[in-house]
Amino acid sequence: MNVALGMPQLPPPVLVPRRKSRKIRVGKVEVGGDAPISVQSMTTTPTVDINATLQQIAELTAAGCDIVRVAVPSADDADALPAIAKKSQIPVIADIHFQPKYVFAAIDAGCAAVRVNPGNIKKFDDKVGEIAKAAKDAGISLRIGVNAGSLDPRLLAKYGKATPEALVESAVWEASLFEEHDFHDFKISVKHNDPVVMVRAYELLAERGDWPLHLGVTEAGPAFQGTIKSATAFGALLSKGIGDTIRVSLSAPPVEEVKVGNQILQSLNLRPRKLEIVSCPSCGRAQVDVYTLADRVTAGLEGMEVPLRVAVMGCVVNGPGEAREADLGVASGNGKGQIFVKGEVVKTVPESEIVETLIEEAMRIAETMDAGDGDGGPVITVA
């Protein structure tokens, strides 16, 4: 049965307009201004192991990572940077702590940007002019990365602990030093492991200047806890238009960070939606095994790049209505499922064939769509 799917002409709604920040470049990726919010992660391989690091960068790229950061704790790691920066498919940021000489090594290596931590780089303030000149000459950007765990001792003494005000004072001070040298191609982060402190710090920082802001809850924890903390903090800030690039920090493989980051942005319509599974928590009304059904549909559509929303509902109360409203849906009950396309029943199948039929219909629709069309494509409801 041929049913016109149609594509909406209006962009998806967002909660508020983005905060107006200045735009910088991290290699080929724009950050700030009207540029899309980018997703970052960090490799966990020893940077000196060039092949392993490039392999992980390739995996991150495939997962939707826009920018990747690599640690540079030693001279051997610094020596590996030219090969990594040259062969990486996405811009590479060198993450520098303690030794300012590695900042210049990273710039010379062709990295797209350098992250500097003012709180633990030796005599950092004395090096600002030299760093600014080197970065400007090379045409690269910087990130001023302030962390609660490595705040300048002077600020800890002043505030007693890493308060939002302490984090912001550190960031604004360092920003002013770079701006005194007429260097403006930098973004700022003020990370804390407490989402409440972190959110307040970014709110205060957003009021102080137009710098692009890199959001992050540092040391967020294992996958489940870290996902909750990051989603809570990012949601609070992004819903106010604050944030230009994000990194979800998890004690988990970095690809998981990218998946979570992309999903957060998609949930707020800040990134085109792809496959989204919407499922009910199940209840005593359910006439199908919702958990198994949702898992099988997710597995069957894994890797699909077109915007498909799959809602797994388990009872006859909301099922038929949801299926009729969706582009593609199935209403289950009494051992069978009705397959809907644009509100019309196109077939009825036994319960054992629901998942297979749904996936076949989804694939058929996907073939007619351009994966780059963005949000607003078919909505698949499993009810």
Side-chain angles (χ1 to χ4, degrees):
M1 178 179 181
N2 295 323
V3 179
L5 297 174
M7 294 293 289
Q9 301 301 313
L10 297 176
V14 295
L15 291 170
V16 296
R18 287 266 299 283
R19 161 183 168 266
K20 295 185 183 302
S21 60
R22 74 175 69 145
K23 183 185 291 185
I24 65 170
R25 295 193 69 90
V26 179
K28 63 183 179 182
V29 177
E30 294 181 329
V31 175
D34 60 356
I37 298 173
S38 52
V39 174
Q40 302 192 25
S41 186
M42 188 170 183
T43 56
T44 58
T45 55
T47 304
V48 67
D49 190 337
I50 295 173
N51 289 335
T53 300
L54 286 172
Q55 176 61 35
Q56 193 168 76
I57 290 175
E59 293 168 358
L60 289 167
T61 304
C65 187
D66 300 303
I67 300 169
V68 65
R69 188 155 42 109
V70 299
V72 190
S74 72
D76 289 340
D77 296 308
D79 291 341
L81 289 176
I84 293 171
K86 181 179 180 179
K87 295 181 180 179
S88 173
Q89 306 98 315
I90 55 178
V92 173
I93 298 177
D95 190 70
I96 309 298
H97 298 267
F98 305 114
Q99 293 289 347
K101 64 182 179 180
Y102 297 144
V103 175
F104 303 104
I107 293 172
D108 292 340
C111 290
V114 179
R115 181 275 177 107
V116 293
N117 187 338
N120 62 21
I121 292 182
K122 296 177 181 178
K123 297 183 179 179
F124 179 80
D125 291 359
D126 298 336
K127 297 286 185 179
V128 166
E130 195 176 347
I131 292 172
K133 183 179 186 306
K136 183 181 292 187
D137 290 346
I140 73 167
S141 61
L142 302 174
R143 170 158 72 96
I144 298 174
V146 177
N147 257 35
S150 53
L151 198 61
D152 190 299
R154 294 168 295 183
L155 290 170
L156 287 176
K158 177 179 178 180
Y159 289 95
K161 59 181 180 179
T163 63
E165 293 77 12
L167 295 170
V168 171
E169 183 171 329
S170 174
V172 171
W173 168 252
E174 302 301 340
S176 71
L177 295 181
F178 279 101
E179 289 166 345
E180 285 178 3
H181 292 278
D182 195 30
F183 185 80
H184 305 276
D185 292 330
F186 61 86
K187 58 184 182 292
I188 302 178
S189 64
V190 282
K191 295 186 177 184
H192 198 286
N193 58 50
D194 184 331
V196 175
V197 176
M198 174 268 199
V199 168
R200 185 56 183 152
Y202 279 99
E203 289 175 338
L204 293 173
L205 186 58
E207 295 172 355
R208 299 289 297 272
D210 67 347
W211 313 288
L213 301 182
H214 170 111
L215 303 188
V217 178
T218 190
E219 294 100 32
F224 177 76
Q225 174 183 294
T227 295
I228 298 299
K229 290 171 72 172
S230 296
T232 299
F234 292 1
L237 290 167
L238 294 170
S239 66
K240 298 177 181 178
I242 298 173
D244 300 289
T245 184
I246 66 173
R247 189 262 172 117
V248 176
S249 298
L250 302 177
S251 298
V255 164
E256 297 304 311
E257 297 184 349
V258 174
K259 290 179 179 178
V260 173
N262 276 296
Q263 193 60 57
I264 290 171
L265 295 181
Q266 289 179 37
S267 296
L268 293 169
N269 285 339
L270 295 171
R271 177 162 287 208
R273 298 190 186 212
K274 295 182 180 178
L275 176 64
E276 179 184 5
I277 305 296
V278 179
S279 59
C280 73
S282 191
C283 69
R285 297 192 303 263
Q287 297 182 356
V288 295
D289 183 346
V290 178
Y291 308 142
T292 299
L293 191 60
D295 287 343
R296 290 179 62 196
V297 171
T298 300
L301 297 179
E302 184 176 5
M304 184 167 282
E305 292 294 309
V306 297
L308 299 175
R309 182 177 299 161
V310 182
V312 180
M313 309 289 287
C315 78
V316 296
V317 173
N318 297 317
E322 292 282 357
R324 289 191 183 94
E325 291 297 319
D327 292 288
L328 172 64
V330 55
S332 307
N334 298 321
K336 59 186 178 180
Q338 287 185 313
I339 307 298
F340 289 78
V341 175
K342 293 296 285 185
E344 298 183 28
V345 178
V346 296
K347 63 180 71 173
T348 299
V349 299
E351 185 175 321
S352 61
E353 298 178 14
I354 287 175
V355 173
E356 178 184 355
T357 304
L358 183 65
I359 291 172
E360 288 176 353
E361 290 294 321
M363 295 300 182
R364 182 183 62 78
I365 292 173
E367 290 177 357
T368 69
M369 297 178 61
D370 179 357
D373 281 341
D375 187 60
V379 177
I380 304 177
T381 299
V382 184

